[in-house]
Amino acid sequence: FSLQAIQDNFVPHKKEDFIYTYGTAGFRSIADVLDSVMYKVGILATLRSKKLGGATIGVMITASHNPEQDNGVKLVDPRGEMLEQSWEAYATKLANSKTPETLAQATEEIIASQKINVDQPANVIYGFDTRPSCPELVKNLESGLQASGAETKNYGLLTTPMLHYLVRCLNTAGTSDAYGEPTAEGYYHKLAEAYKTAVKGFTRLSTLHVDCANGVGAPKLREFLTHLSEDVISVDISNDQITTQGALNKNCGADYVKTNQRAPPNVKIQPGDRFCSFDGDADRIVYYYLGSDQTFRLLDGDKIAGLAAMFIMDLVNDAGIDSLKVGVVQTAYANGSSTNYLEKVLKIPVSCVSTGVKHLHHEAEKYDVGVYFEANGHGTVLFSPSALNTIKTTEAKTPAQNRALQQLAALTELINQTVGDAISDMLLVETILTNRQWSPEEWDQAYTDLPNRLAKVVVADRSVFTTTNAERQLVSPAGLQAEIDAIVAKYSQGRSFVRASGTEDAVRVYAEAATRAETDELTYKVAQAVY
Ligand code: NG1
Ligand code: ZN
């Protein structure tokens, strides 16, 4: 490890005045300004690995659902989780170092404050999505890794959740909680075997139509499907144009569908069929279908959480292990009807946390079985070590109990324990629908979403919008929350909140109410109050 090498290979900033922030989505921006950031991320990944005694750290290059000209980068901690929050400030500090000297200084500061022994080994793996800017950004990342002396492995084109899986596998290999074979093949095999077990004995459903957002999910889902025969699952893939310039996330994908509350224009949605959309890096998924009245119906992250929670509660009861505490974690963006369904109908505890997967993930770890989903379709289910142990060691007294325990065991393998995963979540939904022999309409019957609206207001300085109570109330600007409360009080089943986006330079306004007209009016009034 040599600070000299870090200085000698310095990659300069392309735009002098650009300020970088490591936020909920890592670094994310227009790809053109990211060369220098990639170099620094290489150094940071090395430091993080050295700090953790040479544990493998992951680096994923992607900008998820953002347009093709954007890109981004995120670090993955040893258990496949997001980078520990306290390190985000280091990332930001390194990224904004504009000269070799200031970078060396910032590096030294991290080493000193974290008491890092630089003689420790460093291991870093990385992967990237289909964006045209990836190859160049990978080169800059590699320079940073090399300059700081890490052992590296390039896993190539990957979905984000596959990289998280690989990191966890590498760090648990040979231990009692070994997570799986650290290869793409190992990932496919694990999911495919679990799915076969989970749907065994049930009639296969009709074909599922999957929109892959013209992203990395398309080739990866195809590879995965070679591990399952047509009589186990039938999938029709669309929007798989990963080499067509400008196609990524364009008028398709999970974010398009959730935001516009409509199917991608090029997806021919037929009554009776089942559809889902991945986002650009395949860590989000939403389902949808055409109702018998020909209207578009969205089954978003909230609906998936409700379905999963319902199924898991039933299995836990049938398995006779209802001492396990099952809970659901949502954000303020969850539809009020979904929260009501979980709390009043399923009688499951629900926690509300701030936006951002790391908050949901950590809260979900507090339950034995923690289901977490953002309304936009990012989520998963976490099983605690004691839940895994209970599922594994409980002795069944009846065939029904035995079957429930086996199903739960299959779910623990099927569901990605590191992060939201479109392929894994798709298999979870398909498992439940197959077990129940349900159509999407039947799934949708659990509750009816309140009409809702998400608006964006561009303000001079979004940092003045600070919140409390899991972002549901504003602390500043002074007086604004009282104004919003007064507006909301006029609408039946009205709810609205305002917060600064962590990923865009804007303030978001969310509103829901009993009717579409009331919702639109409420959104408008609150947005006006913000402006
Ligand atoms: P911001 O921009 O902070 O609202 C958005 C999404 C989050 C999450 C992050 C990270 C909404 C309302 N917000 O955050 O759910 O996915 O991006 O990508 O969808
Ligand atoms: Zn994504």
Side-chain angles (χ1 to χ4, degrees):
F1 182 86
S2 123
L3 283 174
Q4 196 55 50
I6 287 175
Q7 294 190 54
D8 291 348
N9 293 284
F10 188 77
V11 177
H13 286 222
K14 279 198 182 149
K15 245 175 115 186
E16 272 302 307
D17 52 353
F18 200 93
I19 294 171
Y20 301 93
T21 314
Y22 194 100
T24 41
F27 291 112
R28 199 178 284 186
S29 69
I30 191 91
D32 298 347
V33 300
L34 287 174
D35 284 1
S36 183
V37 169
M38 292 295 155
Y39 180 71
K40 276 81 164 262
V41 164
I43 295 163
L44 188 72
T46 300
L47 294 177
R48 182 85 184 135
S49 178
K50 285 183 186 292
K51 165 75 187 179
L52 301 173
T56 300
I57 296 298
V59 179
M60 182 70 198
I61 301 178
T62 178
S64 185
H65 58 281
N66 286 28
E68 189 168 298
Q69 61 273 22
D70 288 4
N71 216 327
V73 62
K74 265 188 283 204
L75 260 64
V76 178
D77 260 355
R79 290 192 62 78
E81 292 160 9
M82 306 284 176
L83 174 68
E84 187 185 291
Q85 206 168 339
S86 63
W87 276 60
E88 291 179 2
Y90 296 140
T92 300
K93 181 87 200 246
L94 290 185
N96 292 301
S97 305
K98 287 185 190 166
T99 64
E101 294 71 34
T102 51
L103 176 62
Q105 212 171 33
T107 305
E108 271 188 304
E109 274 169 34
I110 299 172
I111 292 169
S113 67
Q114 285 293 317
K115 300 187 175 64
I116 295 169
N117 173 359
V118 292
D119 298 330
Q120 288 282 329
N123 290 288
V124 180
I125 67 166
Y126 52 97
F128 47 88
D129 74 9
T130 56
R131 285 163 203 273
S133 56
C134 283
E136 185 184 322
L137 297 181
V138 164
K139 278 195 203 126
N140 290 301
L141 171 70
E142 285 168 342
S143 313
L145 290 167
Q146 243 160 43
S148 53
E151 290 286 324
T152 64
K153 183 161 178 173
N154 179 356
Y155 275 89
L157 193 64
L158 287 178
T159 70
T160 295
M162 285 173 81
L163 181 84
H164 287 251
Y165 163 91
L166 292 167
V167 169
R168 173 98 158 231
C169 289
L170 288 164
N171 287 303
T172 55
T175 71
S176 59
D177 63 341
Y179 194 60
E181 197 62 44
T183 58
E185 207 41 46
Y187 168 86
Y188 298 141
H189 182 76
K190 179 175 178 172
L191 265 53
E193 289 307 307
Y195 187 71
K196 279 190 238 168
T197 308
V199 298
K200 200 173 177 162
F202 295 100
T203 307
R204 197 206 75 189
L205 300 176
S206 62
T207 297
L208 169 67
H209 302 271
V210 186
D211 150 31
C212 289
N214 295 314
V216 62
K220 298 300 155 183
L221 179 58
R222 274 230 166 79
E223 276 167 35
F224 168 72
L225 288 170
T226 62
H227 295 73
L228 290 173
S229 67
E230 271 280 325
D231 48 277
V232 177
I233 194 167
S234 167
V235 174
D236 161 53
I237 296 177
S238 68
N239 291 324
D240 58 351
Q241 304 301 302
I242 62 167
T243 54
T244 305
Q245 213 194 326
L248 177 65
N249 296 322
K250 183 83 182 166
N251 294 328
C252 61
D255 198 64
Y256 174 91
V257 172
K258 170 71 183 166
T259 309
N260 296 287
Q261 313 211 2
R262 58 175 287 191
N266 71 349
V267 169
K268 292 286 154 274
I269 177 164
Q270 303 282 353
D273 283 353
R274 204 162 71 263
F275 297 82
C276 66
S277 288
F278 292 4
D279 74 340
D281 62 338
D283 63 352
R284 282 197 205 174
I285 184 171
V286 295
Y287 269 72
Y288 44 99
Y289 69 100
L290 208 56
S292 46
D293 58 356
Q294 299 292 312
T295 59
F296 172 83
R297 301 290 173 81
L298 179 65
L299 294 153
D300 63 2
D302 300 339
K303 285 278 182 180
I304 297 173
L307 183 75
M310 176 278 302
F311 188 65
I312 289 168
M313 285 285 268
D314 280 357
L315 286 179
V316 163
N317 287 328
D318 293 349
I321 50 174
D322 51 4
S323 59
L324 290 189
K325 195 165 173 223
V326 183
V328 179
V329 185
Q330 301 185 314
T331 72
Y333 292 106
N335 196 279
S337 291
S338 76
T339 313
N340 189 62
Y341 165 74
L342 293 165
E343 286 179 336
K344 304 281 155 56
V345 181
L346 296 185
K347 304 200 185 323
I348 288 185
V350 179
S351 330
C352 181
V353 299
S354 297
T355 305
V357 173
K358 62 185 176 217
H359 298 120
L360 289 118
H361 193 95
H362 289 140
E363 184 67 21
E365 283 178 326
K366 295 180 183 163
Y367 295 102
D368 291 316
V369 185
V371 179
Y372 75 81
F373 269 89
E374 290 193 300
N376 63 26
H378 185 114
T380 190
V381 182
L382 301 182
F383 294 88
S384 72
S386 93
L388 289 175
N389 189 52
T390 305
I391 293 166
K392 216 187 291 170
T393 58
T394 301
E395 283 191 30
K397 296 190 186 70
T398 65
Q401 191 187 359
N402 188 42
R403 177 73 180 151
L405 285 165
Q406 276 177 5
Q407 287 298 74
L408 279 169
L411 291 188
T412 67
E413 298 277 307
L414 183 69
I415 303 171
N416 193 324
Q417 297 294 291
T418 64
V419 78
D421 180 335
I423 295 178
S424 162
D425 289 337
M426 176 194 92
L427 296 173
L428 170 63
V429 169
E430 293 300 299
T431 292
I432 302 171
L433 298 183
T434 306
N435 275 245
R436 296 285 150 109
Q437 293 288 298
W438 276 358
S439 65
E441 288 94 326
E442 286 167 294
W443 165 15
D444 204 10
Q445 272 158 25
Y447 63 87
T448 306
D449 273 325
L450 284 170
N452 58 91
R453 187 73 71 199
L454 186 59
K456 230 177 357 192
V457 185
V458 178
V459 295
D461 177 10
R462 77 187 201 276
S463 72
V464 303
F465 291 79
T466 61
T467 59
T468 182
N469 191 15
E471 305 178 326
R472 288 171 291 190
Q473 283 170 306
L474 285 171
V475 174
S476 65
L480 185 52
Q481 187 59 49
E483 224 178 298
I484 294 170
D485 291 344
I487 299 169
V488 170
K490 296 189 188 122
Y491 296 86
S492 89
Q493 292 180 273
R495 184 169 73 91
S496 179
F497 66 93
V498 171
R499 59 175 275 280
S501 161
T503 62
E504 283 178 75
D505 191 10
V507 164
R508 295 197 199 282
V509 174
Y510 175 88
E512 62 185 34
T515 64
R516 176 86 269 157
E518 283 178 287
T519 303
D520 289 350
E521 199 181 282
L522 176 56
T523 314
Y524 178 74
K525 294 232 162 111
V526 174
Q528 258 191 334
V530 167
Y531 194 64

